[in-house]
């Protein structure tokens, strides 16, 4: 099969696997943060749980290509109206960010899902959720549904608290400001381990920057937390694209 034919075949499969949707609302909620509502018939009656992702084609049309698809965690999904709300971190470093920055009411798109994203424990015990600005949507969704102790590394503690608390009522959260050379991660480790509190029923869920997820995974294992109890879903890494979700 030629490269062109392969591309057309892949695009045809993508077209069959996706469904049409449209941006119905865009709200600026903070510096570099946009709350984007996407509605489509394919999201009606969808089986969605907090932590699940919706994939959005952010570059190209399904039948034309080339295309790029990215995974995002809705902070809410209403199957009655077929509407997903995604809190987008617009950082200007990729096609997903560019798409969210340019999205306006009426912007058409194609979506896939919902699909499994962050794997939350089946039991409804307490969680420790770690992440960063790319995890805000996940943090809000999970905190609304579960007893979640949230720890986030952020660029601005003040701005992040205003967004999470003022817009979404997430006030019980530990925010740690980034420092050069990741010097702040020592404080993040202390905060995550304190939130874990040695509880055998507390499940750590690690999201956000890949290197931070790896470091905290090691710290939790070193503190005696069994590896099978730790859920790790890196949302991004410098120089890489298309990680599992955000």
């Amino acid at each position: 099969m030629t490269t062109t034919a392969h591309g057309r075949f892949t695009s045809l499969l993508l077209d069959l696997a996706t469904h049409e949707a449209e941006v119905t609302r865009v709200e600026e909620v903070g510096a570099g943060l946009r709350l984007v509502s996407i509605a489509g018939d394919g999201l009606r009656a969808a089986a969605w749980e907090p932590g699940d992702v919706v994939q959005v084609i952010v570059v190209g049309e399904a039948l034309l290509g080339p295309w790029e698809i990215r995974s995002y965690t809705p902070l809410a999904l209403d199957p009655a109206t077929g509407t997903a709300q995604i809190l987008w971190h617009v950082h200007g470093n990729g096609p997903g960010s560019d798409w969210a920055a340019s999205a306006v009411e009426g912007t058409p798109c194609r979506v896939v899902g919902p699909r499994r994203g962050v794997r939350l424990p089946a039991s409804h015990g307490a969680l420790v959720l770690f992440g960063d600005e790319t995890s805000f949507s996940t943090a809000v969704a999970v905190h609304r549904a579960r007893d979640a102790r949230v720890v986030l590394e952020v660029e601005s503690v003040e701005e992040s608290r205003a967004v999470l608390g003022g817009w979404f009522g997430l006030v019980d959260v530990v925010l740690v400001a980034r420092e050069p050379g990741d010097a702040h991660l020592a404080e993040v480790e202390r905060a995550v381990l304190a939130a874990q509190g040695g509880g055998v029923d507390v499940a750590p869920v690690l999201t956000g920057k890949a290197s931070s997820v790896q470091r905290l995974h090691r710290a939790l294992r070193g503190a005696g937390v069994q590896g099978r109890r730790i859920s790790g879903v890196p949302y991004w890494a410098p120089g890489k694209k298309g990680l599992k979700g955000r």
Side-chain angles (χ1 to χ4, degrees):
M1 182 180 293
T2 67
T3 301
T4 300
H6 182 271
R8 289 175 178 171
F9 178 69
T10 301
S11 291
L12 177 59
L13 290 179
L14 183 65
D15 189 66
L16 294 173
T18 64
H19 42 264
E20 294 180 351
E22 181 178 284
V23 174
T24 57
R25 189 172 184 178
V26 178
E27 298 174 87
E28 306 287 346
V29 302
L33 293 166
R34 306 189 91 197
L35 181 60
V36 181
S37 297
I38 297 173
D41 288 342
L43 296 174
R44 292 182 183 273
W48 177 80
E49 295 182 2
D52 288 351
V53 301
V54 170
Q55 295 176 295
V56 182
I57 296 180
V58 294
V59 172
E61 297 293 335
L63 285 175
L64 300 180
W67 46 266
E68 296 275 359
I69 190 167
R70 296 290 185 270
S71 300
Y72 298 95
T73 307
L75 60 86
L77 192 150
D78 182 359
T81 62
T83 300
Q85 290 182 300
I86 301 172
L87 183 57
W88 231 290
H89 180 223
V90 182
H91 49 73
N93 293 320
S97 176
D98 293 343
W99 186 90
S102 63
V104 295
E105 184 177 339
T107 297
C109 60
R110 299 191 71 90
V111 299
V112 183
R115 292 181 173 179
R116 175 65 66 88
V118 174
R119 185 176 296 275
L120 301 181
S123 66
H124 286 272
L127 304 175
V128 176
L129 175 68
F130 165 76
D132 55 24
E133 289 90 346
T134 64
S135 313
F136 280 10
S137 209
T138 304
V140 172
V142 172
H143 191 267
R144 286 175 173 175
R146 305 284 290 267
D147 175 13
R149 307 165 188 178
V150 181
V151 180
L152 302 170
E153 57 173 332
V154 296
E155 198 64 32
S156 170
V157 169
E158 182 177 338
E159 291 179 1
S160 298
R161 195 173 301 283
V163 169
L164 293 171
W167 278 82
F168 306 106
L170 180 50
V171 295
D172 186 16
V173 56
V174 177
L175 300 174
V176 180
R178 291 189 187 87
E179 297 179 9
D182 285 342
H184 65 286
L185 287 181
E187 183 179 350
V188 169
E189 280 189 19
R190 290 191 292 270
V192 168
L193 292 175
Q196 183 72 20
V200 295
D201 295 326
V202 180
V205 178
L206 310 177
T207 66
K209 187 178 180 181
S211 58
S212 297
V213 169
Q214 293 166 358
R215 175 166 172 167
L216 289 170
H217 193 283
R218 290 194 298 268
L220 286 161
R221 290 297 305 276
V225 180
Q226 294 180 330
R228 61 182 177 81
R229 293 191 56 81
I230 305 171
S231 297
V233 182
Y235 284 175
W236 67 282
K240 295 187 179 294
K241 64 179 183 178
L243 298 189
K244 187 169 183 180
R246 63 201 63 186

